[in-house]
Amino acid sequence: MRRFNNVIVRRPCRAMVEGITSGLYPGKPDYSLALLQHDAYIEALKKCGVSVTVLPADENYPDSCFVEDPAVLTERCAIIANPGAPSRNGEKESIEEAVRSFYPEDRIEHITFPGALDGGDVMMCGDHFFVGRSARTNEEGLRQFSTILARYGYTCSEVRLEEVLHLKTGVNYLENNNLLVSGEFINKPEFESYNRFVIPEDEAYAANCIWVNGTVIVPEGYPEVLRTVRSMGYDTITVDTSEYRKLDGGLSCLSLRF
Ligand code: GLY
C-alpha cells in the first residue's frame, strides 16, 4: 500500500483574485476566506499523518497556490513540469527549489520546451501514470514524461481531454483499484479495469477528491459524493474549497503529495 509522508503546499497570494478562470464557477475569490480554507486544508492533511511544508505566497504568480501543476513527485524521482499556461510557467522555478530539499540532484528531471505538461493532468495509479492530453499538456510533453518515467520503471498512457481543464478535474484514483469518474471520463475504455464510482453531474466538481493514507478528503457541500466515498469504506474529511473553485482549482491542485 502506498504511503505519503510529505506534502508541499503554497499559501495563496493576494493576486489570486486575478488567477485564470473558465468562469464555470463565477465570482472573484475572497482572499480572507481563501486563507481560512487553506488553514483547514493543511489541518486536514496533517490529520492524515503527513508532514506539511508550507511555502510562502508568491505574488508574482496569481495561481501559484495550485502547486500540483508545476511538478510531479513520485517515490523514485521528481519531475519538474513545464506548465502550459504562460502566466503560470515561471512557477516551476520556485517549486524546484522546494523539491530540492526532498530529492537528490540526479533524481530531479525536467519537462522542457516545446514540451508542455501540467501536473494536474497526471494521475498516478500505482506504477502506472495516466496523462491527460489537454489545453495545458501537449504531445511532446507527454513524450518526454513517458521517457523519464520509463527510466524509473514506471509506465504511462495518454487520455484525451475534450471538456475539462485537467485530467484530475474529472477523474481521481483513491487506491484499491477505485476511481471516481465524472463527465467525459465515465465511459472511457482506458478506465474499464477499475472499480468506477460515477459522480452525478450536479456534483461534478467533487470528482476531485484526494486519497491521503487511507483517508479521503472530499470538498464540502457535495453530499452524494461524500456518501459514495463513505460507502467505499474510507474515512473522510471535508474541506471547503469554494474560493479555489472560482479559479477551477480543487483539493488535488492545492498540494503535492509524496
Ligand atoms: N486557475 C488554475 C489554472 O487555470 O491553472
Side-chain angles (χ1 to χ4, degrees):
M1 174 62 71
R2 179 180 302 281
R3 183 167 174 88
F4 295 129
N5 295 311
N6 292 292
V7 168
I8 297 174
V9 301
R10 183 182 292 286
R11 294 298 270 170
C13 58
R14 287 185 182 281
M16 78 178 288
V17 296
E18 304 304 333
I20 306 170
T21 177
S22 66
L24 182 64
Y25 301 98
K28 290 266 184 201
D30 174 328
Y31 182 59
S32 304
L33 184 53
L35 285 174
L36 291 175
Q37 291 177 349
H38 206 254
D39 290 340
Y41 181 69
I42 292 168
E43 284 315 304
L45 288 165
K46 285 181 178 167
K47 280 188 190 147
C48 299
V50 292
S51 170
V52 183
T53 298
V54 183
L55 305 177
D58 183 350
E59 294 293 343
N60 295 314
Y61 296 103
D63 288 290
S64 53
C65 58
F66 300 123
V67 286
E68 179 173 68
D69 293 315
V72 176
L73 303 184
T74 79
E75 280 177 350
R76 301 172 200 163
C77 64
I79 302 170
I80 306 303
N82 200 22
S87 69
R88 300 199 58 191
N89 190 261
E91 290 174 26
K92 64 191 179 196
E93 278 146 33
S94 55
I95 212 73
E96 179 164 355
E97 275 172 41
V99 164
R100 282 183 186 284
S101 307
F102 296 95
Y103 289 84
E105 181 77 30
D106 63 352
R107 299 236 159 198
I108 301 178
E109 309 283 352
H110 299 83
I111 305 295
T112 56
F113 183 81
L117 182 131
D118 273 15
D121 278 322
V122 176
M123 181 170 70
M124 181 172 46
C125 298
D127 286 351
H128 186 76
F129 291 68
F130 289 99
V131 184
R133 176 116 165 251
S134 70
R136 301 283 178 86
T137 296
N138 65 16
E139 186 179 4
E140 172 61 13
L142 248 146
R143 191 196 64 74
Q144 291 180 20
F145 190 68
S146 172
T147 303
I148 293 166
L149 288 179
R151 285 209 299 275
Y152 291 91
Y154 292 125
T155 55
C156 159
S157 59
E158 172 184 323
V159 183
R160 291 265 181 162
L161 269 59
E162 312 289 341
E163 291 163 17
V164 295
L165 173 64
H166 286 130
L167 179 67
K168 284 184 288 191
T169 307
V171 54
N172 284 273
Y173 186 55
L174 303 185
E175 304 294 320
N176 309 95
N177 213 45
N178 292 333
L179 273 185
L180 295 180
V181 290
S182 70
E184 63 185 292
F185 303 105
I186 293 171
N187 294 315
K188 286 258 189 219
E190 290 93 320
F191 302 130
E192 260 169 10
S193 65
Y194 291 88
N195 308 319
R196 283 164 294 168
F197 294 83
V198 174
I199 302 296
E201 202 179 328
D202 62 342
E203 295 200 8
Y205 173 78
N208 189 253
C209 291
I210 51 173
W211 177 98
V212 188
N213 299 337
T215 295
V216 175
I217 307 181
V218 179
E220 201 164 293
Y222 297 90
E224 268 308 310
V225 175
L226 186 60
R227 220 180 336 266
T228 299
V229 173
R230 284 183 173 158
S231 76
M232 294 158 80
Y234 296 109
D235 291 333
T236 57
I237 303 175
T238 58
V239 174
D240 193 354
T241 52
S242 64
E243 302 318 291
Y244 302 94
R245 186 173 57 209
K246 292 171 184 169
L247 301 178
D248 304 308
L251 290 165
S252 77
C253 317
L254 286 167
S255 62
L256 284 162
R257 304 162 297 282
F258 57 106

